[in-house]
Amino acid sequence: MRRILFLSCVLLSAVLTVRAKVVLPQLFQSGMVVQRGQAVPVWGRADSGETVTVVFLKKTYSTTAGANGRWRVDLPAMKAGGPYTMEVKGDAPNGEKLVLNDVFVGDVWLLSGQSNIDVTIERVYPNYTDEIDGFSLDKVRLFRVQNETSTHGVKDDVRPTGINWKPLTKQNAWLFSAVGSFFGKRMFEKTGVAQGVIVNSWGGTPIEAWISMDSLKTDYPMLAKRVAFFQNDNYVRAQMQANGEASRRWNELLDKEDLPHSYALSACKDDDWKTVDQNNWSWRGVGSVWLRQHVHIDKEHAGRPARLLLGTLYDQDVTYLNGKKIGSTGYQYPPRRYDIPEGLLQEGDNVIAVRFINKNGAAHFIPEKPYMLCFGDDRFSQNPMPKDVIPLSPLWKFHLGAEMPPCPGGDVSLQNMPTTLYNAVLYPLAPYAVSGVVWYQGESNVGNPAPYADYLQKLIGCWRDLWQRPELPFVVVQLANYDGRQQTGMPRPIVYQAEPTNSNWAQLREAQRLTAQKMDNVELAVAIDLGETVDIHPLRKKEVAERCGLCFDHMLHNNKVLLSPKVIASETLDDGTVLLKTDQPMKSGVLYEFELAEASGRFVNAEAVADGSSIRVKAPLSAPARVRYGWKDNPARANACGRNGLPMAPFELLTGFSEK
């Protein structure tokens, strides 16, 4: 009887404990930053009817949880400061008091999009080694939203994450967004107040995944049907399991036929292997191939630690030095930077062996990338390049590893489905008070740029509705220059496109520009000079962050801050010259990448000259009707910029208009 009574008390206590638990969303944790100058919503869950109390800055706020267990209080607008403590408690007996320490009041920013937001500090470190080594800002806090999808409607909260309001240090930022890290640092240095940076992005995702179903279903009913197809959990689970098993089996059969250890060894005889030049070599097969290169190391460099820069490769690679694996990368985009430990490089002959694994497209080296061995304390830097380097030869010995059939599988990439990311990782963040949003996306939509302007306007609209802030500031990062032909998985020669072309990349940039022009409190961060011809993930992320910061400076603090120059009017002179008026003085001189077209729509190259706040554009046409600038995937010669040094955005305009 005593045992029964004891167990009953334990169970009752457990029930009371469960009932007394007040739950906060993942965003509310020690170390967080809450927005200054705005009402600050604090919300969560508790038992229905339970009174919840929030104590902050010596003031107490109370509310009652509704029938669904949800509660919310709005703290009044506050000045920047901290660190403070926030306490949250329910009124149930034995209720646990939640104490959040080290809370700052400052500015909070939401950065979202695809892989160019994802690009980490680790990736860009060689460009900014000294600055990143010195990262130590306690008042810049980083929060990374964990990736998740939902085809069944919106979720209440995001998943727990390892980067939750961590201070900006090299270690904490190493796998955090480079744009987010530099942006937070820049805004702190400009304002002197704490900065909270929330990064919510997913590589390769299209814009449709980030838009609510209510915003899409009327104009795009087929998108809703696509989502419905994947609302069958049994199908998704079975397909994902089948895909995983197919990939495992494919790799198992590949490794069984292609023994990795044999061709990697220094003792492997490669005299009869075919010699290929990496600048024009590719292998259009499925399976694996091996490439080997002999490198002579002198006595001075023998035994020293080094870093192998192996450019960028398509698609997967496993790389060995003298038979020892020194690195591997599972897909095409990351730069291959493999560290060589002390003692592995020997005096005399050394062998680098690269095992390419290819499931589609063509295995190849990416041109215009560094291929070398780097020595010395500066070997981690690429800007400037290390002083002590041994370049690799472009010549490699080639041998077939194993040919394979294509790996079977079906696409269940739910993150690419319409609305799935809005549901799972965007909706739960609202209404956490933020100062503004950076949207850095578009590469995954260049295949069909026509609806992008409408999509982008819907995204901005539905996010503003979700936060109930119709004026919520947005900065849209315009796509950087890039040779889109490199994205196909096939080797492409780097050939400058001299003649006018109908570029999808240019069309999407134009959609971004027009959206920023049309919508209030939306600015365009122009990045047309920050890209790389052969890399869809350019490394100059600090410069992107700086331009985003300037846009917010202009919108929130000082509208006299000059951004990228804009054309505000144009007219056609009697001699056929098109005169463009700009909103600020331009850097004077000859300009490139301008084109004119008559009413027929066929564009021709045009001569252009900047002088003061005007640009004169001339071509052998009698009646030019349209003018455009930078209308290529990679307008390499684009050089129109303001005297402030910021580039002009690519555009297409009528030859006679005036901005209202």
Side-chain angles (χ1 to χ4, degrees), residues 380-434:
F380 301 103
S381 172
Q382 287 179 229
N383 187 25
M385 289 298 295
K387 300 181 183 66
D388 189 0
V389 302
I390 298 177
L392 299 185
S393 167
L395 302 180
W396 295 78
K397 293 286 191 173
F398 165 84
H399 195 283
L400 177 67
E403 290 189 283
M404 293 285 293
C407 183
D411 184 16
V412 286
S413 301
L414 296 182
Q415 73 273 17
N416 297 330
M417 295 294 108
T419 79
T420 55
L421 299 183
Y422 176 91
N423 291 341
V425 294
L426 192 281
Y427 181 89
L429 303 184
Y432 199 89
V434 299

Side-chain angles (χ1 to χ4, degrees), residues 264-266 270 292-295 320-323 349-353:
L265 297 176
S266 300
D270 56 19
R292 286 165 55 95
Q293 178 168 154
H294 293 257
V295 181
Y320 302 83
L321 177 65
N322 295 334
D349 186 58
N350 294 260
V351 176
I352 299 170

